[in-house]
Amino acid sequence: MAAGLFRAEMSMLSSTLARTYSIPFRKTLISFDSRIAMQRNSLPRTRHSRVASLSSSSPSHSRNFPVPGIEDVFVGYLFGRKKATEVAHVVWEQVIQKGDMVIDATCGNGNDTLAMLKMVTDDSDYFGGCVYAMDVQKESIESTSSLLYQTLGSKEKERVKLFNMCHSKMEEIVPENSSVRMVAFNLGYLPGGNKSIITVSNTTVLALRAAERILMPGGLISLVVYIGHPGGREELEVVEAFGSSLPVSDWVCCKLQMLNRPLAPILVFMFKREK
């Protein structure tokens, strides 16, 4: 049952993205839908075989999936073996290109910043990608800076710009007429930090509006919304209202949420359609 639901959901997602993104990606997703249809007709109709087909250790299952890595993460998340941030990262990888400009609007301890940098750059100097990372807490900027110092070489560090400021002011740090591929948020409090210092609804909605203005067609607004603290659910409602208000002609918005884990983080993705 779970396998069937997962295949149906992924088929719907792939159809939506195929209408949104570039021709090569459309062809990949269309071939994915075709394989789903073929597998649906050819698989024995027994519970055992369908559950077995979900195993991440099955080589044939991995080979048949169009985007390497995305299968294991989504299925792992479906069965509680993967984190929301891991799902976010694998979605980013399908959107971000080498040389892109991206924004980590709540850099926290720097893990997302580092992941983004690896997606926009490579070992050569050919690609000029960069990450603008910001956080209202000085502690977060220092933590991110420390992680980057320990992990990156001098040339890679030059591709990251850190700003100790509110995410609602992101337009102030982006060069004029720049094309931003992605803006990512982790909403809540700094992991391991002061839990009384949190992102709040009034500045988050301002940040979302700013992200909407600077995002390029084919770009993504990504949010992991933590709701297990006071004010978390109210902030989620603001995010949902913002996403619901975006015109369907220009945006594809979706939410992933665990039904029986009321405090689990919630994933929200807002894709800006290519013209």
Side-chain angles (χ1 to χ4, degrees):
M1 180 65 178
L5 288 172
F6 174 73
R7 291 178 183 275
E9 290 292 333
M10 289 304 295
S11 179
M12 292 173 62
L13 178 60
S14 67
S15 298
T16 300
L17 292 176
R19 294 192 297 270
T20 308
Y21 286 99
S22 62
I23 290 175
F25 194 36
R26 291 176 191 169
K27 290 180 178 178
T28 300
L29 292 167
I30 290 171
S31 67
F32 171 45
D33 282 339
S34 300
R35 280 195 290 273
I36 288 178
M38 293 172 64
Q39 291 171 3
R40 187 181 296 120
N41 292 331
S42 61
L43 283 174
R45 296 185 178 276
T46 63
R47 168 171 287 188
H48 174 75
S49 64
R50 298 178 83 180
V51 172
S53 70
L54 280 171
S55 172
S56 60
S57 62
S58 170
S60 61
H61 196 207
S62 297
R63 283 197 304 269
N64 287 335
F65 210 83
V67 182
I70 197 171
E71 173 193 30
D72 289 341
V73 172
F74 269 97
V75 174
Y77 181 73
L78 182 67
F79 288 98
R81 297 193 298 267
K82 295 290 185 179
K83 298 179 180 179
T85 51
E86 293 177 276
V87 176
H89 286 188
V90 81
V91 171
W92 298 353
E93 290 174 349
Q94 313 316 312
V95 177
I96 296 174
Q97 302 174 20
K98 299 298 183 183
D100 278 342
M101 177 185 297
V102 297
I103 297 176
D104 186 352
T106 50
C107 64
N109 288 319
N111 295 305
D112 286 346
T113 303
L114 184 60
M116 291 178 201
L117 183 66
K118 293 178 179 179
M119 295 178 199
V120 301
T121 62
D122 64 4
D123 294 332
S124 71
D125 292 330
Y126 180 78
F127 296 106
C130 62
V131 179
Y132 288 84
M134 55 196 310
D135 203 292
V136 72
Q137 294 189 67
K138 185 178 180 181
E139 180 183 355
S140 295
I141 299 300
E142 292 174 348
S143 181
T144 298
S145 179
S146 176
L147 176 65
L148 298 179
Y149 178 81
Q150 297 171 29
T151 309
L152 303 177
S154 57
K155 288 187 178 181
E156 292 174 304
K157 293 175 187 174
E158 294 175 358
R159 299 296 184 184
V160 182
K161 309 297 182 184
L162 300 178
F163 299 89
N164 183 197
M165 59 194 302
C166 178
H167 54 7
S168 63
K169 299 180 179 180
M170 68 177 69
E171 288 173 293
E172 297 179 14
I173 67 174
V174 177
E176 190 175 356
N177 299 322
S178 298
S179 296
V180 176
R181 178 73 66 178
M182 186 185 76
V183 180
F185 300 82
N186 275 341
L187 300 180
Y189 53 82
L190 175 66
N194 187 342
K195 294 184 179 181
S196 67
I197 303 176
I198 60 173
T199 54
V200 292
S201 300
N202 60 338
T203 53
T204 293
V205 71
L206 292 176
L208 287 170
R209 290 170 183 164
E212 177 190 4
R213 288 190 290 268
I214 64 177
L215 199 71
M216 65 188 297
L220 169 69
I221 299 174
S222 169
L223 303 101
V224 179
V225 187
Y226 294 85
I227 58 175
H229 60 279
R233 290 193 179 278
E234 290 79 1
E235 193 168 26
L236 173 63
E237 291 174 0
V238 167
V239 171
E240 290 175 332
F242 175 83
S244 299
S245 71
L246 295 174
V248 69
S249 59
D250 298 322
W251 293 82
V252 179
C253 303
C254 65
K255 176 179 72 171
L256 297 178
Q257 180 176 11
M258 293 292 182
L259 295 179
N260 65 342
R261 291 178 56 203
L263 300 183
I266 296 169
L267 286 151
V268 180
F269 299 110
M270 305 176 190
F271 299 91
K272 190 173 183 179
R273 298 180 187 270
E274 290 182 332
K275 298 297 183 181

